[in-house]
Amino acid sequence: MPVEPNHEECARHSKCPSPLPVHNGALYKRSFNESFEETPMFVAVLTYMGYGILTLFGYLRDFLRAWKIEKCHNATERGEQKDFVPLYQDFENFYTRNLYMRIRDNWNRPVCSVPGERVDVVERYTEDYNWTFKFTGRVIKGVINMGSYNYLGFAQNQGLCFLIFFVFRFNLLLSVSFRYDTIPVSLFFSSLQSVFLCNLDIHEELESLVARFLGVEAAMTYGMGFATNSMNIPALVGKGCLILSDELNHASLVLGARLSGAPIRIFKHNNMQSLEKLLRDAIVQGQPRTHRPWKKILIVVEGIYSMEGSIVRLPEVIALKKKYKAYLYLDEAHSIGALGPTGRGVVDYFGLDPRDVDIMMGTFTKSFGSAGGYIGGSKVLIDYLRKHSHSTAYATSMSPPVAEQIIASMKCIMGDDGTSLGQDRVQQLAANTRYFRRRLVEMGFIIYGNSDSPVVPLMLYMPGKIGAFGREMLKRNIGVVVVGFPATPIIESRARFCVSAAHTKEMLDLALREISEVGDLLQLKYSRHHFVPLLDRPFDETTYEETDD
């Protein structure tokens, strides 16, 4: 029986729409629970004060640098170029110099192993306040990896999907570099030609498999996920067309929309009232000045939003798209393989017809442990893109070993390899996600996003706690990703966990204990909700749901 989406919690947050009319509940075949708890007032005040103090000290340090009292490490132009237009804008680098550099050690950490459920991190230190780093020669072994998009655990150097076994099938250019006696860190194969000139049998096999996996007529693959968006959107829309884009869409979608030359209008994140208003105005008013009807109206959304952990309200988007005769571009970079009973993404998650989505885009860099991207849809669409896409004409085709990795992992998910390993991983990811999210909420953290999203943002807010959280977690052998401005709004810094099917319950429990300890140390448990602790209750080993024992 259809369940009305639960909007009570998220309606108070600015990113969430107000409760929808009751009749929209019929669009959902399952519960839809998202939470964006409002920032406590005292936390917001302290966060703004923290950034204010850092800014004041930044101006003071810039003054000291200008008078040569403090050494200046940032890039500057030589004196003989003073008559030219400045290459470096000094004020634009203010944040990088005075705020980012204080916590720079939390990013670009060198990893010397495969990005599986555990990683080995090369230890480093700095003698000039994070401007440069030096290696200590020590490797931190067995760090639990809570930061990689390894949703189904296919990023591995052994087993079914280890692509090195397919290396010598092709007589191609090979470049291999080894570090720390592990698997190849860089392994590059290229057919050295664009798709126009070189499309091997393995590429045709991959595209046929992707189309069957998505449930569409045809598909086309590309060697780079970012370019799949940025180079294909300009081929689909142009002058006289209109793009309606979610305000939190990925940079590749934003770049593709800008390169198209089409006007762009932004609607509030996952807010169907905002989207419908833009659609209605576009139909009524038409193009500026001439008021002629738009040639095309393209709605651009993502399956899972990688910073918010939210899932697109796809049934409502499709309903609006049909009502106003628009087209829908769905980016499933994070949702393909990670959502749905069979791992076929957000369309599968909601039990919808893939034919209702005009352009289905996704990448192979997350759930499939490989590289590249794809576009799926009607045969007419794919034939058009083969002729007009910049990625088709100018980019080199996907390397065969990379394609082989995708084929192996996709067949595993589909069960075409004769095993249930792929489906077991899809179910394990769903169980791990629910378990991890619920435990964090019970501890008192503010957690953003959908209850079924493997992207789990834990709100930190204050600038000083961004670096402190990342460092404290690494001390406890937990690798996490911390994110702040400008990747997030200035007041919404966070740690972003990525749950994997490769994580065992023991790993998750260990990570949760350490997160709770650091949360108490840094006073990060801001949630106003009071939950009954369930940490000591027994759980079913498969679903991680509470039992009555």
Side-chain angles (χ1 to χ4, degrees), residues 242 244 279-280 282-283 293-299 317-328 356 358:
L242 176 65
L244 303 182
L279 283 166
R280 189 185 300 115
I283 298 297
W294 295 100
K295 295 178 181 178
K296 288 182 241 178
I297 299 177
L298 182 67
I299 303 171
V317 176
I318 289 177
L320 291 175
K321 166 231 166 186
K322 290 181 177 180
K323 179 179 179 180
Y324 293 97
K325 304 295 187 291
Y327 294 94
L328 177 58
D356 288 335
D358 301 287

Side-chain angles (χ1 to χ4, degrees), residues 273-288:
Q273 287 79 18
S274 176
L275 174 58
E276 185 167 16
K277 183 180 185 303
L278 290 179
L279 283 166
R280 189 185 300 115
D281 291 346
I283 298 297
V284 172
Q285 298 175 10
Q287 300 184 41

Side-chain angles (χ1 to χ4, degrees), residues 254-420:
V254 174
L255 177 60
R258 290 174 177 172
L259 290 175
S260 71
I264 306 167
R265 294 177 185 171
I266 308 299
F267 61 91
K268 294 179 181 178
H269 174 55
N270 243 355
N271 190 318
M272 296 302 106
Q273 287 79 18
S274 176
L275 174 58
E276 185 167 16
K277 183 180 185 303
L278 290 179
L279 283 166
R280 189 185 300 115
D281 291 346
I283 298 297
V284 172
Q285 298 175 10
Q287 300 184 41
R289 295 191 300 274
T290 64
H291 300 291
R292 293 176 181 173
W294 295 100
K295 295 178 181 178
K296 288 182 241 178
I297 299 177
L298 182 67
I299 303 171
V300 182
V301 295
E302 294 187 49
I304 292 179
Y305 291 84
S306 60
M307 282 297 172
E308 304 299 312
S310 59
I311 297 175
V312 64
R313 300 177 183 275
L314 191 60
E316 298 168 62
V317 176
I318 289 177
L320 291 175
K321 166 231 166 186
K322 290 181 177 180
K323 179 179 179 180
Y324 293 97
K325 304 295 187 291
Y327 294 94
L328 177 58
Y329 187 108
L330 174 63
D331 179 343
E332 290 214 80
H334 288 269
S335 55
I336 192 68
L339 281 182
T342 60
R344 285 169 167 80
V346 69
V347 176
D348 182 35
Y349 175 78
F350 287 112
L352 303 173
D353 188 344
R355 291 173 294 182
D356 288 335
V357 180
D358 301 287
I359 304 103
M360 299 183 71
M361 177 270 172
T363 64
F364 303 117
T365 54
K366 283 83 176 176
S367 296
F368 302 95
S370 191
Y374 67 82
I375 294 284
S378 65
K379 189 175 186 303
V380 174
L381 168 71
I382 300 305
D383 289 343
Y384 175 85
L385 289 177
R386 290 189 191 279
K387 298 177 182 177
H388 296 88
S389 169
H390 288 76
S391 289
T392 305
Y394 302 113
T396 57
S397 59
M398 181 182 293
S399 72
V402 170
E404 191 71 55
Q405 163 73 11
I406 301 167
I407 291 172
S409 55
M410 190 171 289
K411 285 184 175 180
C412 182
I413 298 172
M414 298 170 69
D416 287 3
D417 61 343
T419 71
S420 62

